[in-house]
Amino acid sequence: MAALRCLYQICVVTVLALSVLISPAVHAQSWPSVIDDRYKQLDAKLYQKYDEARALLDRYGGETEFLGLGYQRLQYVLSKNDRFAPAYMQVGRWIIMTSDDDSAGFRAAERAVQMALEIEPKYADAWVLLGHIYTRLDAYDQALAALKKAESIGTENPWLHINLTDLYLRTDRAEDGFAALNALSSHPVDNQKARRAIAENYIRYYRLKKDPVGMDLWYRRAIEQSPSNAWAHGNYAAFLVWTQGDFAKAESMAREALALMDYGKARSTLAASLYAQWAGA
């Protein structure tokens, strides 16, 4: 159980017991994984708990109850098999989601993912996540090496190209990032989080190119892909206020965002759009 004790040490947030149970919508991962398939064959019931945890993390959009329930399932999986490599990778994701977006959180997530790789050195999905972690730590050479390692192992994981894009956009290689995104066009992406990330990275690319038409297109596509995601509406509203100066439309989009979730950025955007309309009246 040493690995499980180590897991507790790397977790930076304590999960409180939740009284309201939420049933995760479990869907098979939209890309094949040789490693995951092996664990599924090893213990189908335990793998189901793992898959529930992954689905809960995938559903997270600011709702902390999903994170708590997901982590509880990961704890259960690792209490039954402390060498269940995919669970350590998901713990890495959980740490990123629950941390304050700082280096301490990403270092803790790195340790969790490294534990998965110690058990399964050819776990392409774990290398993909490790590349993202190194990117966020500004360790760009290590990030590229990790992502290229995943590529050499072979994977259809869309996050490989998404994370490569993020790395390239941060390191003045915008056209390489654009090419990495376009490489996904021949592979339909079913994962909602991945689809949102693709849209966000296209927006970043067009922002770097100072192309508001391209940005507007992908803000609208992000909403089409995730109509119930408050941030997609709110981000478009902010773009309409601060870049396009379309204050009436920004007001409408900010209200749509707030109808989905009440959060500070959307309220600020709504206030800015209302003030601009009042001042220009």
Side-chain angles (χ1 to χ4, degrees):
M1 301 296 290
L4 183 59
R5 287 194 296 272
C6 190
L7 168 65
Y8 294 136
Q9 292 171 1
I10 65 175
C11 292
V12 294
V13 176
T14 300
V15 178
L16 299 177
L18 298 169
S19 58
V20 179
L21 295 180
I22 298 175
S23 298
V26 180
H27 301 288
Q29 185 167 279
S30 56
W31 61 90
S33 168
V34 173
I35 301 297
D36 281 22
D37 286 349
R38 186 191 310 153
Y39 284 85
K40 185 176 183 178
Q41 293 170 10
L42 182 67
D43 189 332
K45 289 185 177 179
L46 194 60
Y47 185 88
Q48 183 179 358
K49 287 291 185 184
Y50 159 77
D51 209 27
E52 289 175 3
R54 179 171 58 190
L56 284 160
L57 298 188
D58 282 346
R59 289 177 66 185
Y60 175 67
E63 308 89 344
T64 55
E65 60 267 25
F66 293 144
L67 297 181
L69 291 169
Y71 182 62
Q72 287 175 2
R73 283 163 172 77
L74 292 173
Q75 283 183 307
Y76 175 81
V77 171
L78 289 167
S79 71
K80 298 297 182 182
N81 179 357
D82 65 358
R83 291 187 61 79
F84 199 106
Y88 287 110
M89 187 186 70
Q90 296 301 326
V91 169
R93 290 183 65 207
W94 178 84
I95 292 172
I96 292 170
M97 292 175 183
T98 54
S99 71
D100 294 324
D101 202 29
D102 57 15
S103 59
F106 283 106
R107 286 297 181 193
E110 176 194 5
R111 291 195 291 275
V113 177
Q114 289 284 13
M115 290 171 71
L117 288 169
E118 287 175 11
I119 300 167
E120 299 286 357
K122 293 186 178 181
Y123 195 0
D125 288 353
W127 285 108
V128 169
L129 181 56
L130 189 62
H132 168 66
I133 291 168
Y134 285 142
T135 295
R136 298 303 302 272
L137 288 169
D138 298 334
Y140 298 134
D141 290 342
Q142 288 176 278
L144 185 59
L147 293 169
K148 290 299 182 181
K149 176 69 173 180
E151 192 172 50
S152 69
I153 293 169
T155 178
E156 295 179 29
N157 185 343
W159 290 99
L160 171 60
H161 297 284
I162 294 167
N163 292 346
L164 276 169
T165 299
D166 182 34
L167 174 62
Y168 289 144
L169 292 178
R170 291 169 184 263
T171 54
D172 299 321
R173 296 176 61 180
E175 297 309 319
D176 288 332
F178 190 66
L181 281 178
N182 287 339
L184 289 168
S185 62
S186 59
H187 301 284
V189 177
D190 297 329
N191 184 277
Q192 280 284 341
K193 276 189 178 292
R195 291 172 66 183
R196 287 200 298 269
I198 290 168
E200 290 165 2
N201 277 323
Y202 271 116
I203 291 166
R204 290 172 63 197
Y205 170 79
Y206 284 114
R207 182 181 294 116
L208 286 171
K209 304 301 287 186
K210 302 185 186 305
D211 182 349
V213 174
M215 292 173 67
D216 188 272
L217 170 66
W218 279 97
Y219 274 119
R220 287 186 285 108
R221 285 192 180 176
I223 292 171
E224 291 169 5
Q225 292 171 356
S226 303
S228 63
N229 184 272
W231 288 97
H233 295 265
N235 291 342
Y236 188 32
F239 166 75
L240 291 168
V241 167
W242 305 113
T243 302
Q244 299 295 76
D246 189 341
F247 305 122
K249 189 173 181 180
E251 177 192 349
S252 175
M253 297 306 305
R255 291 188 186 280
E256 288 183 20
L258 289 168
L260 292 165
M261 183 173 71
D262 188 0
Y263 65 104
K265 184 177 179 181
R267 290 197 300 272
S268 297
T269 301
L270 176 60
S273 68
L274 291 171
Y275 177 81
Q277 291 179 84
W278 172 81

